[in-house]
Amino acid sequence: MLAQICPHRLGSVDGLRGCLALSVMVHHFYIWTNIKYFNGTWDAPDVNFIAQMGAGAVALFFMTTGFVFYPRILNGWKSTSWITVYITRVFRILPLTLLSVILITAVIYYRAGGTFNATYAYAAAHWLSGFGEPDLLGYTDSGRINAYVLWSLWYEWVFYIAVLPLSAIAMDIVKNRRLPSWTLPVALLCLAFASRIFSKVFNHDLEFLRMLPLFGVGMLAYEIQARENLKNLLCSRMCSVIAVGCLVIAMTATRNPYGISLPLFGIFFICVAAGNNVWGLLDTRPAGVLGEISFSIYLLHGIVIDVLFVDANSWMSKLGFAEANLTLCAVSLIVVAVSSLSFLLVEKRAIAIGKAVARSWDGRKLRLSAHELDVAP
């Protein structure tokens, strides 16, 4: 089965995506064990490193989005067929999201039953858009079944619908004024930081302002890796040490990636985007395969963990805390197996359909080799 999953396109970034998806899984497994054995709540863990395995990993996913879609921005508004961009995005994201909602609905119906009515349809629509995860079929805390992961998809859609086209328009202006293209990501970062300061001064925090610099870092990473001398420098062994050092400091010194740790996460990502494989770890075939199925891992791992701690609770209750943590290995194997199946049966087929629909709409402007056609959050 894994032989049919062929990692490609993004090099070390593909391997990073796989590691990030597993990192989020470990983060949520830790939260569940804390709830079961220490009467904890569904909050970020007190241990910085474990907390950043969730928040920090998602931040790096957002940087990947900015990196992958920056070529579209470089093309500018007029040279991009936006309808084909959105067709491929819909077919890349919604089918697997729909599968996850169906599975979660099945779990809820098995546990508590329920009625499929307009209220359910309204709630399911929120789930599919990523706008929220209201209770399904009246089941309290339905979002816990998938570890509330859909929140990040909402910000991805905001990026596709607003940030991406507006940045393309801005790039046209930059080119008309004969400014270097890197002016745009630098300006975006400055705007994001200025907005954050403004929101703090006036005590009006907009959540998206936290995410905007992450997309900007990804864009800047593309500009840097396009310069051969900088790319060669960032791929050196010394930069591997610096990159990993920055990552370790960011994950141990702070609880979230949005403040002083952002530059450290940014340095790490820029090195990886330039091709630094961290002593070969990110270029291995297993890492690449995990990168291919990372979207499935991200959306489906919570369901597997929830079933373990809820439906198999009587069995888990016989285990001590240390023994329960050992089940993480088995959970990881199950999640990878399930994610491989969902990739082959749902994601891969949906990608092919999306390409066909987009080609029939406007084949002249659709580059079927474009990275973003296959890559998902």
Side-chain angles (χ1 to χ4, degrees):
M1 178 172 64
L2 293 180
Q4 301 178 52
I5 302 174
C6 303
H8 60 290
R9 301 181 312 271
L10 297 177
S12 298
V13 173
D14 263 335
L16 176 63
R17 290 167 57 226
C19 295
L20 296 178
L22 288 182
S23 176
V24 174
M25 182 191 70
V26 173
H27 168 82
H28 289 137
F29 187 89
Y30 180 93
I31 291 176
W32 265 111
T33 57
N34 189 47
I35 290 173
K36 180 169 183 59
Y37 294 99
F38 301 104
N39 296 318
T41 58
W42 193 273
D43 294 305
D46 294 331
V47 181
N48 288 349
F49 188 84
I50 302 297
Q52 290 284 31
M53 289 186 78
V58 173
L60 289 166
F61 270 129
F62 285 143
M63 292 180 191
T64 301
T65 297
F67 176 78
V68 169
F69 280 87
Y70 191 63
R72 290 290 189 186
I73 295 172
L74 285 173
N75 287 340
W77 172 266
K78 297 178 181 179
S79 300
T80 299
S81 175
W82 292 100
I83 188 64
T84 59
V85 170
Y86 294 124
I87 288 173
T88 54
R89 280 292 84 191
V90 166
F91 278 92
R92 183 64 187 93
I93 297 175
L94 282 188
L96 185 62
T97 307
L98 176 61
L99 173 64
S100 72
V101 173
I102 291 173
L103 292 175
I104 291 166
T105 300
V107 169
I108 292 173
Y109 194 81
Y110 168 77
R111 292 175 182 172
T115 303
F116 295 92
N117 50 28
T119 301
Y120 170 80
Y122 179 79
H126 276 69
W127 282 61
L128 290 174
S129 68
F131 185 69
E133 297 185 39
D135 292 343
L136 296 173
L137 299 177
Y139 189 85
T140 303
D141 292 330
S142 299
R144 185 175 293 189
I145 298 177
N146 74 344
Y148 300 101
V149 295
L150 295 183
W151 71 269
S152 63
L153 292 189
W154 174 250
Y155 292 110
E156 291 280 346
W157 283 118
V158 172
F159 173 83
Y160 302 139
I161 295 171
V163 178
L164 185 60
L166 289 175
S167 296
I169 293 172
M171 183 60 74
D172 285 338
I173 296 173
V174 166
K175 290 180 178 178
N176 289 337
R177 294 182 178 275
R178 301 184 183 278
L179 297 172
S181 57
W182 55 259
T183 302
L184 177 61
V186 170
L188 181 63
L189 284 170
C190 292
L191 175 63
F193 288 126
S195 299
R196 290 284 302 279
I197 294 173
F198 179 86
S199 64
K200 288 184 179 296
V201 170
F202 291 93
N203 196 27
H204 186 69
D205 188 25
L206 295 176
E207 190 70 22
F208 184 70
L209 294 179
R210 289 186 175 188
M211 314 304 163
L212 197 56
L214 304 175
F215 297 123
V217 170
M219 297 177 193
L220 185 61
Y222 191 95
E223 286 282 355
I224 292 173
Q225 64 84 37
R227 289 154 174 77
E228 198 65 29
N229 57 336
L230 291 177
K231 183 175 182 177
N232 292 335
L233 174 63
L234 293 173
C235 287
S236 66
R237 292 185 177 182
M238 178 57 70
C239 280
S240 294
V241 174
I242 294 173
V244 172
C246 287
L247 182 64
V248 170
I249 294 172
M251 294 188 67
T252 55
T254 61
R255 287 173 51 78
N256 69 68
Y258 309 117
I260 60 174
S261 62
L262 175 56
L264 298 174
F265 278 109
I267 291 171
F268 172 78
F269 181 80
I270 288 170
C271 289
V272 172
N276 193 312
N277 57 23
V278 189
W279 305 294
L281 295 176
L282 298 180
D283 280 351
T284 60
R285 180 169 177 78
V289 169
L290 290 174
E292 282 290 275
I293 65 174
S294 60
F295 190 37
S296 281
I297 293 175
Y298 183 75
L299 284 192
L300 303 181
H301 75 271
I303 302 174
V304 175
I305 298 174
D306 182 86
V307 168
L308 175 66
F309 280 92
V310 177
D311 298 289
N313 179 59
S314 59
W315 179 74
M316 289 294 291
S317 296
K318 299 176 183 178
L319 304 178
F321 175 71
E323 294 169 313
N325 279 290
L326 292 177
T327 64
L328 178 59
C329 295
V331 169
S332 300
L333 292 175
I334 294 171
V335 168
V336 169
V338 170
S339 298
S340 299
L341 281 173
S342 67
F343 174 81
L344 293 172
L345 298 178
V346 179
E347 291 187 74
K348 196 171 184 179
R349 295 181 181 184
I351 291 170
I353 295 172
K355 288 180 179 179
V357 173
R359 183 194 289 114
S360 66
W361 187 279
D362 190 357
R364 295 172 303 165
K365 292 186 178 181
L366 176 67
R367 296 183 297 107
L368 293 183
S369 60
H371 299 328
E372 74 270 12
L373 298 183
D374 297 335
V375 174

